[in-house]
Amino acid sequence: AWQVARGSPEPSGACVASVNEEYGGRPTLNVTLPLRARDPSNARWKDYKAAQLLYRDKGPDYISKYCPGDCTVDQHPSAAGMYLNALVFYATLYKSSPIGAGVPQGEVVDGMALPWIGADDARALQHIAHDTVMGHLGAWWAAHVGGAHEGEGDKFAGFV
């Protein structure tokens, strides 16, 4: 979903070759890469500076080892990145669209203030999570993955 949010750049030939080699030339999870947002305007974190907004900014005194120049982010998600992760988990685990999900607006829960996500960004992130998960549920979930046996019900493809 993070790559979809960034506009899903084409993977390099070397990347594709590496994945194919790792998986014996079989397509991974029967998903064609790169995944893309149905509405390209939802991929609003395309350029370098915008993509940094998906990561936690540690302030002007922080020198990042993860990106060059005046970059002040680390590898932890920002509020928008955490929200995108939550939407993807919700859609995957509940097999239900995250479009229309609640949006953190600074509410205080158990003494902690939730982050604030803008309505336009929240809507775009909901659609990105929907496009990433809902069109590929058969890839993310399977009745018989790895060592699953008849009658065990759904197994999450990544955790068998």
Side-chain angles (χ1 to χ4, degrees), residues 2 51-59 62-67 71-78:
W2 284 55
Q52 290 181 20
L53 297 175
L54 293 172
Y55 296 94
R56 183 175 59 179
D57 190 316
K58 298 201 58 168
Y62 179 77
I63 299 171
S64 178
K65 62 182 181 180
Y66 302 104
C67 45
C71 174
T72 58
V73 300
D74 67 5
Q75 291 295 76
H76 294 88
S78 65

Side-chain angles (χ1 to χ4, degrees), residues 29 95 137-146 148 153-158 160:
L29 299 175
K95 302 177 187 175
L137 281 175
W140 312 137
W141 287 92
H144 303 288
V145 177
D154 287 340
K155 297 287 183 182
F156 184 67
V160 175

Side-chain angles (χ1 to χ4, degrees), residues 105-127:
Q105 297 290 296
E107 301 90 348
V108 176
V109 177
D110 294 331
M112 291 180 53
L114 295 176
W116 185 88
I117 308 279
D120 289 340
D121 284 347
R123 195 169 17 266
L125 291 166
Q126 290 170 6
H127 282 272

